[in-house]
Amino acid sequence: METGNPHDTGTAGPRQPEQPAEAATTAAEAATTAAEAVTVGAPAAPGDEPRWIALPPGLLKVRRLMLVVWLGLLTLAAGLVPGLLAGPGWAAFALLPLAVTVWGWVMLERNWRSWRYAERSDDLLISRGVLWRQETVVPYGRMQLVEVTSGPVERHFGLASVQLHTAAAATDATIPGLVPAEAERLRDRLTELGEARSAGL
């Protein structure tokens, strides 16, 4: 004969709410698994968000210096020559190149800020332009020559440019105003990636 406390039957009562909690946990795990399946099934996007690298400020300094030198001489000539030959009133012609200098000073900074580049897994992106935005995609496998150039002015200010030559002239590109160490690093990396992609084609 079985004996037991009649209250023992009530011990199962408090455990009943645990079933919805377990069901909720199971549903949450199923949802997580489904979400992971969707994520895995979606196309992977490594490198789709490029890490843009801006140009160093040395390029802006050089361009502004050249602007001041050339337009400063033009302003001086436009003020002195007419003023000496035709009278002091004609020296007002100097205001025109002076206004161009001020406008160019602002536009050079905007243009410098628009330049940037990004190294992705399969190609190099170069973006520039203020009014007309231009973005060039240079596939590593298409590169034929990568060289570092530096003119007299660039060498004086410690700058260099990277020139990219590809099979199609339309995809040739240049990254100006880089620090020589960065230019050499970029040249070596692009050359290595270009050779690897060309060998894999």
Side-chain angles (χ1 to χ4, degrees), residues 1-104:
M1 179 177 179
E2 296 181 356
T3 60
N5 191 344
H7 296 289
D8 291 344
T9 57
T11 57
R15 294 182 182 178
Q16 290 179 357
E18 295 181 0
Q19 294 179 354
E22 293 177 357
T25 305
T26 305
E29 291 176 355
T32 303
T33 304
E36 290 176 353
V38 172
T39 304
V40 172
D48 281 355
E49 283 295 331
R51 186 177 64 88
W52 292 103
I53 303 175
L55 298 184
L59 179 65
L60 177 61
K61 294 179 181 179
V62 172
R63 289 181 172 177
R64 280 180 166 176
L65 177 62
M66 299 300 294
L67 174 74
V68 170
V69 169
W70 289 108
L71 288 182
L73 293 175
L74 184 60
T75 301
L76 187 62
L80 286 179
V81 174
L84 294 176
L85 296 179
W90 292 92
F93 277 108
L95 296 177
L96 180 60
L98 185 60
V100 174
T101 302
V102 175
W103 176 81

Side-chain angles (χ1 to χ4, degrees), residues 99-139:
V100 174
T101 302
V102 175
W103 176 81
W105 185 274
V106 176
M107 291 304 298
L108 282 177
E109 182 175 1
R110 293 185 62 188
N111 180 266
W112 167 74
R113 290 185 182 278
S114 71
W115 274 89
R116 55 183 185 169
Y117 63 96
E119 302 172 52
R120 299 198 299 185
S121 57
D122 296 322
D123 49 41
L124 178 72
L125 298 181
I126 302 175
S127 179
R128 71 270 191 195
V130 179
L131 297 179
W132 288 273
R133 195 74 178 174
Q134 184 177 1
E135 189 169 286
T136 303
V137 181
V138 185

Side-chain angles (χ1 to χ4, degrees), residues 122 139-144 167 193-201:
D122 296 322
Y140 296 136
R142 301 283 183 175
M143 292 183 186
Q144 293 183 334
L193 291 173
E195 292 175 353
R197 295 300 188 277
S198 298
L201 290 178

